[in-house]
Amino acid sequence: MEQMSRSPTFLVGTAQQREILSEFQKREQHFTEEYQKNKPLCFSARAYQQTHPAKVRMGYKDADATLTSPMLLGVCDGVSQLEEFNMDPSLLPNELLRVCEELAMQQLMPDANVSPHDQYRGPISLLKEAYEETESMGSTTVLLAALDNSTRIHGKLHPMIAVLSIGDCELLMLRRANGRQSDLE
């Protein structure tokens, strides 16, 4: 009986096979790390609002508005006293946040095809553009928090959060700095 010698499965030499496999594994690991580092961030938020009891006693309409969307959070605190001038104080806060959300969904959604003129240029530009598109009269404070997944520093993606506050609205940002099981700081 003739004995068959064993040969590698691949037609290229063993050393070359190891090198090709090693390079392939490094490339795949690099892609995986890049995805993990730069996967798009989004808000997972809910809002609850309740009219201040003093405003309820005075008969004022709730003039506050909130926005929770994947790329933008917003709070507007309308001026209830505008009712004394026969104005609906809730119109501007609600319209302003609605337009902010429309613009944010166009400008901030990952992989969105946006012309250079319509690109996200920060929360100040977003709010200014939204305000210019509103028709309602009124007065409101504004707080916006925007997630920008398109910021590049030295060619690498670095998701950023930008916060804009006009008036007396405040934002408290809590994060787990030491992993998913750590305390909020």
Side-chain angles (χ1 to χ4, degrees):
M1 201 186 246
E2 196 175 311
Q3 215 175 12
M4 291 183 90
S5 63
R6 295 186 127 182
S7 67
T9 305
F10 300 101
L11 299 176
V12 293
T14 307
Q16 193 176 357
Q17 290 176 25
R18 282 192 193 110
E19 187 178 323
I20 291 170
L21 184 58
S22 174
E23 283 299 310
F24 177 73
Q25 288 173 338
K26 286 178 188 173
R27 240 189 347 252
E28 288 300 307
Q29 181 178 358
H30 176 72
F31 290 144
T32 302
E33 287 172 1
E34 283 298 308
Y35 176 76
Q36 288 300 322
K37 287 181 185 176
N38 297 315
K39 63 182 172 182
L41 299 177
C42 69
F43 291 117
S44 176
R46 300 288 181 269
Y48 173 80
Q49 66 187 65
Q50 182 176 359
T51 306
H52 193 280
K55 288 184 178 181
V56 172
R57 280 193 302 275
M58 295 170 64
Y60 285 130
K61 182 175 185 173
D62 185 4
D64 302 337
T66 57
L67 163 67
T68 59
S69 75
M71 300 292 119
L72 190 70
L73 298 179
V75 175
C76 283
D77 183 5
V79 178
S80 298
Q81 290 82 0
L82 288 175
E83 285 186 274
E84 296 171 11
F85 300 98
N86 296 320
M87 296 174 68
D88 184 341
S90 68
L91 292 180
L92 179 63
N94 284 293
E95 182 182 8
L96 185 61
L97 287 183
R98 182 185 50 74
V99 176
C100 281
E101 180 179 26
E102 290 171 4
L103 291 171
M105 294 305 282
Q106 292 171 7
Q107 297 175 5
L108 293 168
M109 287 303 288
D111 301 326
N113 287 333
V114 179
S115 70
H117 179 267
D118 295 328
Q119 285 183 329
Y120 175 73
R121 292 180 307 280
I124 295 172
S125 296
L126 185 132
L127 180 62
K128 182 179 177 187
E129 188 177 341
Y131 178 74
E132 289 170 355
E133 290 186 25
T134 61
E135 296 178 1
S136 300
M137 302 296 287
S139 182
T140 186
T141 63
V142 180
L143 173 72
L144 294 176
L147 282 176
D148 177 10
N149 288 294
S150 63
T151 301
R152 290 190 175 271
I153 300 174
H154 304 297
K156 293 184 178 179
L157 282 174
H158 289 275
M160 300 278 182
I161 185 169
V163 177
L164 171 65
S165 179
I166 298 176
D168 60 358
C169 290
E170 294 182 16
L171 172 81
L172 173 65
M173 186 171 8
L174 301 172
R175 61 190 301 175
R176 297 183 194 284
N178 299 312
R180 290 180 176 239
Q181 302 304 319
S182 64
D183 290 337
L184 290 170
E185 298 177 9

